[in-house]
Amino acid sequence: MPEIDPWGNVEITDYEATMQQFGIEPIADLADRLPDNRLVRRNIVFGHRDLDTVLDARDEGDPFAMMTGIMPSGVFHFGHLGVVEQVLMFQDMGAELTLCAADIESYATREMSLEDARELVVEEYLLNYVALGLDLDSTDFYFQSQAGNDHLVRSKLFARHVTQNEFEATYGNADPGKMVSALTQYADILRPQSPEHGGPKPTVVPVGIDQDPHVRLTRDVASRYRDAPYLKPASTYHRFMRGLQGGKMSSSDPKSYIALTDSIADAKRKIDEAKTGGRVSIEEHREKGANVEEDMVFELLAYHLVEDDDELRRIRTEYESGAMLSGELKAIAKDRLERFLRDHQQKREEARPKVEQYVAEHTEELT
């Protein structure tokens, strides 16, 4: 079986060991070359491959790109925000943006119809991306099924440059659906460097560690393909945000996440029901303090709801000391969450006409 299955349930318990195993470098080494970013400061975005090539291009005024994909597997929740915030960071740095909607992959590996996949992409992902700050007019957005003949042919040509043994060692088996999906993804990742998009340029792909197998094999393909030059894509890696009940956050378990389309009442209820690091009694909590590392509410604050590091340290210190109770921590989270959702959901509705018009103009009807 593969160490990491990009189509399965991946839960990393030792990020440092995973980094060493797969040759991922700590992003802290490059933090002073990146814009100030909460996820980088807090080591939530923790690793990279060859990100210095992208930063060198930026510093020299040369073209560079950022590519990422949307897998329509369920509602868009706070666990997805880590990628979007990185996309926005690279957008602000001046990267050429490519955003792929993986309708072919969802059809081949998730038993989802193309129609349902497209609807989910627009309603749950694209609307949220734009509401969060994506400049759609400056983005190469496309559905895999409509990527163009050159793109789809190229994905088949890449098959010559990956062996079955490599595929099975990386993914566990050579199931036809996985093979089609993976080859399509290699073309997606290298799309910003294709001849019709300006040729070779440093390109970064922000991913969770579960998608690293695709990045590794794409780098091999890029180095072996001779019909057109490609640079090995760079990548960044972020930690998985855990579910509200502890363990993995999953789109199939509504209790494990807060969706960006949840009502305020539902979101607050989920906070109330979340796993905390508080003690059994107030007396014990005052004496021993909270176990912050096992508190999912604090994790939500640290990942997305508290921007200021000094404020987060104050909250952590008071909670760990026992001066702050779990109920008080939840009250902070519910207040921040309400403000975030009200603002974001208003921006979603403001973005809807633009997104729907864009999709209508840039996609074809299914036949």
Short mmCIF file of all heavy atoms in Angstrom, two decimals, residues 301-346:
data_model
loop_
_atom_site.label_atom_id
_atom_site.label_comp_id
_atom_site.label_asym_id
_atom_site.label_seq_id
_atom_site.Cartn_x
_atom_site.Cartn_y
_atom_site.Cartn_z
N LEU A 301 -9.53 28.98 16.09
CA LEU A 301 -9.06 30.35 16.30
C LEU A 301 -7.66 30.53 15.72
O LEU A 301 -7.39 31.52 15.03
CB LEU A 301 -9.04 30.68 17.80
CG LEU A 301 -10.38 30.80 18.52
CD1 LEU A 301 -10.17 30.94 20.02
CD2 LEU A 301 -11.18 31.99 17.99
N ALA A 302 -6.79 29.58 16.00
CA ALA A 302 -5.39 29.71 15.57
C ALA A 302 -5.25 29.65 14.06
O ALA A 302 -4.42 30.36 13.48
CB ALA A 302 -4.55 28.61 16.23
N TYR A 303 -6.03 28.81 13.41
CA TYR A 303 -5.92 28.67 11.97
C TYR A 303 -6.53 29.87 11.24
O TYR A 303 -5.94 30.37 10.28
CB TYR A 303 -6.62 27.38 11.50
CG TYR A 303 -5.75 26.15 11.50
CD1 TYR A 303 -5.17 25.68 12.69
CD2 TYR A 303 -5.52 25.44 10.34
CE1 TYR A 303 -4.39 24.55 12.69
CE2 TYR A 303 -4.74 24.29 10.34
CZ TYR A 303 -4.17 23.85 11.51
OH TYR A 303 -3.39 22.72 11.50
N HIS A 304 -7.71 30.32 11.69
CA HIS A 304 -8.45 31.24 10.81
C HIS A 304 -9.14 32.43 11.48
O HIS A 304 -9.50 33.37 10.76
CB HIS A 304 -9.51 30.46 10.05
CG HIS A 304 -8.96 29.42 9.13
ND1 HIS A 304 -8.09 29.72 8.11
CD2 HIS A 304 -9.12 28.07 9.10
CE1 HIS A 304 -7.75 28.60 7.48
NE2 HIS A 304 -8.36 27.59 8.06
N LEU A 305 -9.35 32.45 12.77
CA LEU A 305 -10.22 33.47 13.33
C LEU A 305 -9.51 34.53 14.16
O LEU A 305 -10.12 35.54 14.50
CB LEU A 305 -11.32 32.82 14.18
CG LEU A 305 -12.31 31.94 13.41
CD1 LEU A 305 -13.37 31.38 14.36
CD2 LEU A 305 -12.98 32.71 12.28
N VAL A 306 -8.24 34.32 14.50
CA VAL A 306 -7.48 35.33 15.22
C VAL A 306 -6.24 35.67 14.40
O VAL A 306 -5.35 34.83 14.25
CB VAL A 306 -7.08 34.85 16.64
CG1 VAL A 306 -6.21 35.91 17.32
CG2 VAL A 306 -8.32 34.57 17.48
N GLU A 307 -6.18 36.87 13.89
CA GLU A 307 -5.06 37.28 13.03
C GLU A 307 -3.84 37.70 13.84
O GLU A 307 -2.71 37.40 13.47
CB GLU A 307 -5.50 38.43 12.13
CG GLU A 307 -4.42 38.95 11.19
CD GLU A 307 -3.98 37.93 10.16
OE1 GLU A 307 -4.83 37.14 9.71
OE2 GLU A 307 -2.77 37.93 9.80
N ASP A 308 -4.05 38.37 14.94
CA ASP A 308 -2.96 38.95 15.71
C ASP A 308 -2.29 37.90 16.59
O ASP A 308 -2.94 37.25 17.42
CB ASP A 308 -3.49 40.10 16.58
CG ASP A 308 -2.38 40.80 17.34
OD1 ASP A 308 -1.68 41.63 16.73
OD2 ASP A 308 -2.20 40.49 18.53
N ASP A 309 -0.97 37.73 16.45
CA ASP A 309 -0.25 36.70 17.20
C ASP A 309 -0.23 37.00 18.69
O ASP A 309 -0.32 36.08 19.52
CB ASP A 309 1.19 36.58 16.69
CG ASP A 309 1.26 35.96 15.31
OD1 ASP A 309 0.24 35.40 14.85
OD2 ASP A 309 2.34 36.03 14.68
N ASP A 310 -0.10 38.26 19.05
CA ASP A 310 -0.09 38.61 20.48
C ASP A 310 -1.43 38.26 21.13
O ASP A 310 -1.47 37.77 22.27
CB ASP A 310 0.21 40.10 20.66
CG ASP A 310 1.65 40.45 20.32
OD1 ASP A 310 2.51 39.54 20.37
OD2 ASP A 310 1.92 41.63 20.01
N GLU A 311 -2.52 38.53 20.43
CA GLU A 311 -3.83 38.19 20.97
C GLU A 311 -3.99 36.69 21.13
O GLU A 311 -4.51 36.21 22.14
CB GLU A 311 -4.93 38.75 20.07
CG GLU A 311 -6.32 38.47 20.61
CD GLU A 311 -7.43 38.97 19.70
OE1 GLU A 311 -7.13 39.38 18.56
OE2 GLU A 311 -8.60 38.94 20.13
N LEU A 312 -3.52 35.94 20.15
CA LEU A 312 -3.62 34.48 20.24
C LEU A 312 -2.79 33.96 21.41
O LEU A 312 -3.23 33.06 22.13
CB LEU A 312 -3.17 33.83 18.93
CG LEU A 312 -3.38 32.32 18.86
CD1 LEU A 312 -4.88 31.99 18.79
CD2 LEU A 312 -2.66 31.72 17.65
N ARG A 313 -1.60 34.50 21.60
CA ARG A 313 -0.76 34.08 22.74
C ARG A 313 -1.45 34.39 24.06
O ARG A 313 -1.39 33.59 25.01
CB ARG A 313 0.61 34.77 22.67
CG ARG A 313 1.59 34.09 21.74
CD ARG A 313 2.99 34.64 21.92
NE ARG A 313 3.11 36.00 21.43
CZ ARG A 313 3.45 36.32 20.18
NH1 ARG A 313 3.71 35.36 19.31
NH2 ARG A 313 3.54 37.58 19.81
N ARG A 314 -2.10 35.56 24.16
CA ARG A 314 -2.81 35.91 25.38
C ARG A 314 -3.93 34.91 25.67
O ARG A 314 -4.08 34.43 26.80
CB ARG A 314 -3.39 37.32 25.27
CG ARG A 314 -4.21 37.73 26.50
CD ARG A 314 -4.94 39.04 26.28
NE ARG A 314 -5.91 38.98 25.20
CZ ARG A 314 -7.12 38.41 25.31
NH1 ARG A 314 -7.48 37.82 26.44
NH2 ARG A 314 -7.95 38.41 24.29
N ILE A 315 -4.71 34.58 24.63
CA ILE A 315 -5.79 33.61 24.80
C ILE A 315 -5.24 32.26 25.24
O ILE A 315 -5.75 31.62 26.17
CB ILE A 315 -6.60 33.47 23.49
CG1 ILE A 315 -7.36 34.77 23.19
CG2 ILE A 315 -7.56 32.29 23.57
CD1 ILE A 315 -8.00 34.80 21.81
N ARG A 316 -4.17 31.84 24.59
CA ARG A 316 -3.57 30.54 24.93
C ARG A 316 -3.07 30.53 26.38
O ARG A 316 -3.30 29.57 27.12
CB ARG A 316 -2.44 30.22 23.96
CG ARG A 316 -1.80 28.87 24.25
CD ARG A 316 -0.70 28.52 23.30
NE ARG A 316 -0.26 27.14 23.56
CZ ARG A 316 -0.25 26.18 22.66
NH1 ARG A 316 -0.63 26.41 21.41
NH2 ARG A 316 0.15 24.96 22.99
N THR A 317 -2.36 31.60 26.77
CA THR A 317 -1.81 31.66 28.13
C THR A 317 -2.91 31.60 29.17
O THR A 317 -2.82 30.86 30.16
CB THR A 317 -0.99 32.95 28.30
OG1 THR A 317 0.11 32.94 27.37
CG2 THR A 317 -0.45 33.07 29.71
N GLU A 318 -3.97 32.37 28.97
CA GLU A 318 -5.07 32.38 29.94
C GLU A 318 -5.79 31.04 29.99
O GLU A 318 -6.20 30.57 31.07
CB GLU A 318 -6.06 33.49 29.59
CG GLU A 318 -5.51 34.90 29.80
CD GLU A 318 -6.54 35.98 29.53
OE1 GLU A 318 -7.74 35.63 29.38
OE2 GLU A 318 -6.16 37.16 29.48
N TYR A 319 -5.93 30.40 28.83
CA TYR A 319 -6.63 29.12 28.77
C TYR A 319 -5.79 28.01 29.39
O TYR A 319 -6.28 27.18 30.16
CB TYR A 319 -6.97 28.82 27.32
CG TYR A 319 -7.98 27.71 27.10
CD1 TYR A 319 -9.11 27.60 27.89
CD2 TYR A 319 -7.81 26.79 26.07
CE1 TYR A 319 -10.04 26.60 27.68
CE2 TYR A 319 -8.73 25.79 25.84
CZ TYR A 319 -9.84 25.69 26.65
OH TYR A 319 -10.76 24.69 26.43
N GLU A 320 -4.49 28.01 29.07
CA GLU A 320 -3.60 26.98 29.63
C GLU A 320 -3.43 27.13 31.14
O GLU A 320 -3.22 26.14 31.85
CB GLU A 320 -2.23 27.05 28.96
CG GLU A 320 -2.16 26.40 27.60
CD GLU A 320 -0.76 26.39 27.02
OE1 GLU A 320 -0.02 27.37 27.24
OE2 GLU A 320 -0.42 25.41 26.34
N SER A 321 -3.53 28.37 31.63
CA SER A 321 -3.34 28.59 33.06
C SER A 321 -4.58 28.26 33.87
O SER A 321 -4.51 28.13 35.10
CB SER A 321 -2.97 30.06 33.30
OG SER A 321 -4.09 30.91 33.07
N GLY A 322 -5.72 28.15 33.19
CA GLY A 322 -6.97 27.90 33.89
C GLY A 322 -7.75 29.16 34.18
O GLY A 322 -8.88 29.10 34.67
N ALA A 323 -7.17 30.33 33.85
CA ALA A 323 -7.88 31.59 34.08
C ALA A 323 -9.08 31.72 33.15
O ALA A 323 -10.09 32.34 33.50
CB ALA A 323 -6.93 32.77 33.90
N MET A 324 -8.98 31.15 31.97
CA MET A 324 -10.08 31.17 31.01
C MET A 324 -10.71 29.78 30.93
O MET A 324 -10.00 28.77 30.83
CB MET A 324 -9.57 31.57 29.61
CG MET A 324 -10.65 31.60 28.54
SD MET A 324 -9.99 32.01 26.89
CE MET A 324 -9.53 33.73 27.15
N LEU A 325 -12.03 29.72 30.99
CA LEU A 325 -12.76 28.46 30.92
C LEU A 325 -13.09 28.12 29.47
O LEU A 325 -13.08 28.98 28.59
CB LEU A 325 -14.05 28.54 31.73
CG LEU A 325 -13.90 28.83 33.24
CD1 LEU A 325 -15.27 29.03 33.87
CD2 LEU A 325 -13.13 27.71 33.93
N SER A 326 -13.44 26.86 29.23
CA SER A 326 -13.81 26.42 27.88
C SER A 326 -14.99 27.21 27.33
O SER A 326 -15.03 27.56 26.15
CB SER A 326 -14.14 24.93 27.86
OG SER A 326 -13.01 24.16 28.19
N GLY A 327 -15.95 27.50 28.19
CA GLY A 327 -17.11 28.28 27.76
C GLY A 327 -16.73 29.67 27.30
O GLY A 327 -17.31 30.21 26.36
N GLU A 328 -15.74 30.26 27.98
CA GLU A 328 -15.29 31.60 27.59
C GLU A 328 -14.53 31.54 26.27
O GLU A 328 -14.66 32.44 25.43
CB GLU A 328 -14.40 32.18 28.69
CG GLU A 328 -15.16 32.44 29.99
CD GLU A 328 -14.25 32.80 31.14
OE1 GLU A 328 -13.23 32.10 31.34
OE2 GLU A 328 -14.54 33.79 31.85
N LEU A 329 -13.76 30.49 26.06
CA LEU A 329 -13.07 30.32 24.78
C LEU A 329 -14.09 30.15 23.66
O LEU A 329 -13.95 30.74 22.58
CB LEU A 329 -12.14 29.11 24.83
CG LEU A 329 -11.30 28.89 23.57
CD1 LEU A 329 -10.14 29.88 23.53
CD2 LEU A 329 -10.78 27.45 23.50
N LYS A 330 -15.12 29.36 23.90
CA LYS A 330 -16.15 29.16 22.89
C LYS A 330 -16.88 30.47 22.59
O LYS A 330 -17.25 30.72 21.43
CB LYS A 330 -17.15 28.10 23.36
CG LYS A 330 -16.59 26.68 23.34
CD LYS A 330 -17.63 25.67 23.79
CE LYS A 330 -17.10 24.25 23.69
NZ LYS A 330 -18.10 23.24 24.10
N ALA A 331 -17.07 31.30 23.59
CA ALA A 331 -17.74 32.58 23.37
C ALA A 331 -16.91 33.46 22.43
O ALA A 331 -17.45 34.14 21.55
CB ALA A 331 -17.98 33.29 24.70
N ILE A 332 -15.59 33.45 22.61
CA ILE A 332 -14.71 34.20 21.71
C ILE A 332 -14.84 33.66 20.29
O ILE A 332 -14.97 34.42 19.32
CB ILE A 332 -13.24 34.11 22.19
CG1 ILE A 332 -13.07 34.83 23.52
CG2 ILE A 332 -12.30 34.70 21.13
CD1 ILE A 332 -11.70 34.62 24.15
N ALA A 333 -14.80 32.34 20.17
CA ALA A 333 -14.88 31.72 18.84
C ALA A 333 -16.21 32.02 18.16
O ALA A 333 -16.25 32.32 16.96
CB ALA A 333 -14.68 30.21 18.96
N LYS A 334 -17.30 31.95 18.93
CA LYS A 334 -18.62 32.20 18.32
C LYS A 334 -18.75 33.65 17.86
O LYS A 334 -19.34 33.92 16.81
CB LYS A 334 -19.72 31.83 19.32
CG LYS A 334 -19.89 30.33 19.47
CD LYS A 334 -21.12 29.96 20.29
CE LYS A 334 -20.91 30.20 21.76
NZ LYS A 334 -22.04 29.67 22.57
N ASP A 335 -18.18 34.57 18.63
CA ASP A 335 -18.23 35.97 18.22
C ASP A 335 -17.44 36.20 16.94
O ASP A 335 -17.93 36.84 16.00
CB ASP A 335 -17.67 36.85 19.36
CG ASP A 335 -17.61 38.31 18.98
OD1 ASP A 335 -18.68 38.93 18.80
OD2 ASP A 335 -16.49 38.84 18.84
N ARG A 336 -16.22 35.67 16.88
CA ARG A 336 -15.38 35.84 15.68
C ARG A 336 -16.00 35.13 14.48
O ARG A 336 -15.98 35.64 13.36
CB ARG A 336 -13.98 35.27 15.93
CG ARG A 336 -13.22 35.96 17.04
CD ARG A 336 -13.02 37.44 16.75
NE ARG A 336 -12.35 38.11 17.84
CZ ARG A 336 -11.03 38.21 17.97
NH1 ARG A 336 -10.24 37.68 17.07
NH2 ARG A 336 -10.51 38.85 19.00
N LEU A 337 -16.56 33.96 14.74
CA LEU A 337 -17.16 33.19 13.66
C LEU A 337 -18.38 33.89 13.08
O LEU A 337 -18.55 33.95 11.85
CB LEU A 337 -17.55 31.80 14.18
CG LEU A 337 -18.08 30.79 13.17
CD1 LEU A 337 -17.04 30.51 12.10
CD2 LEU A 337 -18.46 29.50 13.89
N GLU A 338 -19.20 34.45 13.94
CA GLU A 338 -20.38 35.17 13.46
C GLU A 338 -19.98 36.34 12.56
O GLU A 338 -20.55 36.54 11.48
CB GLU A 338 -21.22 35.67 14.62
CG GLU A 338 -22.45 36.45 14.18
CD GLU A 338 -23.39 36.82 15.31
OE1 GLU A 338 -23.12 36.41 16.47
OE2 GLU A 338 -24.41 37.50 15.04
N ARG A 339 -18.98 37.10 12.99
CA ARG A 339 -18.54 38.24 12.19
C ARG A 339 -18.00 37.78 10.83
O ARG A 339 -18.28 38.38 9.80
CB ARG A 339 -17.48 39.03 12.95
CG ARG A 339 -18.05 39.96 14.00
CD ARG A 339 -16.97 40.82 14.60
NE ARG A 339 -16.30 40.18 15.72
CZ ARG A 339 -15.16 40.62 16.25
NH1 ARG A 339 -14.54 41.66 15.71
NH2 ARG A 339 -14.63 40.00 17.28
N PHE A 340 -17.20 36.70 10.87
CA PHE A 340 -16.63 36.19 9.63
C PHE A 340 -17.72 35.73 8.67
O PHE A 340 -17.71 36.07 7.48
CB PHE A 340 -15.67 35.03 9.92
CG PHE A 340 -15.08 34.40 8.68
CD1 PHE A 340 -13.89 34.86 8.16
CD2 PHE A 340 -15.75 33.37 8.03
CE1 PHE A 340 -13.35 34.29 7.00
CE2 PHE A 340 -15.23 32.80 6.88
CZ PHE A 340 -14.02 33.26 6.37
N LEU A 341 -18.66 34.92 9.16
CA LEU A 341 -19.68 34.35 8.28
C LEU A 341 -20.62 35.42 7.74
O LEU A 341 -21.01 35.36 6.57
CB LEU A 341 -20.47 33.27 9.03
CG LEU A 341 -19.72 31.97 9.34
CD1 LEU A 341 -20.61 31.01 10.11
CD2 LEU A 341 -19.20 31.30 8.07
N ARG A 342 -20.99 36.38 8.55
CA ARG A 342 -21.87 37.44 8.05
C ARG A 342 -21.20 38.19 6.90
O ARG A 342 -21.83 38.45 5.86
CB ARG A 342 -22.24 38.42 9.18
CG ARG A 342 -23.23 37.88 10.17
CD ARG A 342 -23.77 38.98 11.06
NE ARG A 342 -24.56 38.44 12.16
CZ ARG A 342 -25.82 38.01 12.04
NH1 ARG A 342 -26.41 38.07 10.84
NH2 ARG A 342 -26.48 37.54 13.08
N ASP A 343 -19.96 38.56 7.09
CA ASP A 343 -19.24 39.29 6.06
C ASP A 343 -19.03 38.43 4.82
O ASP A 343 -19.27 38.88 3.68
CB ASP A 343 -17.89 39.75 6.62
CG ASP A 343 -17.07 40.51 5.59
OD1 ASP A 343 -17.49 41.59 5.17
OD2 ASP A 343 -15.99 40.00 5.21
N HIS A 344 -18.62 37.18 5.04
CA HIS A 344 -18.32 36.32 3.90
C HIS A 344 -19.57 35.97 3.10
O HIS A 344 -19.55 35.99 1.86
CB HIS A 344 -17.65 35.03 4.37
CG HIS A 344 -17.39 34.07 3.25
ND1 HIS A 344 -16.37 34.25 2.33
CD2 HIS A 344 -18.03 32.93 2.87
CE1 HIS A 344 -16.41 33.27 1.45
NE2 HIS A 344 -17.40 32.46 1.75
N GLN A 345 -20.65 35.66 3.77
CA GLN A 345 -21.86 35.26 3.06
C GLN A 345 -22.46 36.42 2.27
O GLN A 345 -23.05 36.22 1.21
CB GLN A 345 -22.85 34.65 4.04
CG GLN A 345 -22.38 33.28 4.54
CD GLN A 345 -23.22 32.69 5.65
OE1 GLN A 345 -24.28 33.23 6.00
NE2 GLN A 345 -22.77 31.59 6.23
N GLN A 346 -22.29 37.63 2.76
CA GLN A 346 -22.71 38.79 1.98
C GLN A 346 -21.86 38.93 0.73
O GLN A 346 -22.38 39.19 -0.37
CB GLN A 346 -22.59 40.07 2.83
CG GLN A 346 -22.99 41.33 2.07
CD GLN A 346 -22.88 42.58 2.92
OE1 GLN A 346 -22.83 42.52 4.14
NE2 GLN A 346 -22.83 43.73 2.27
#
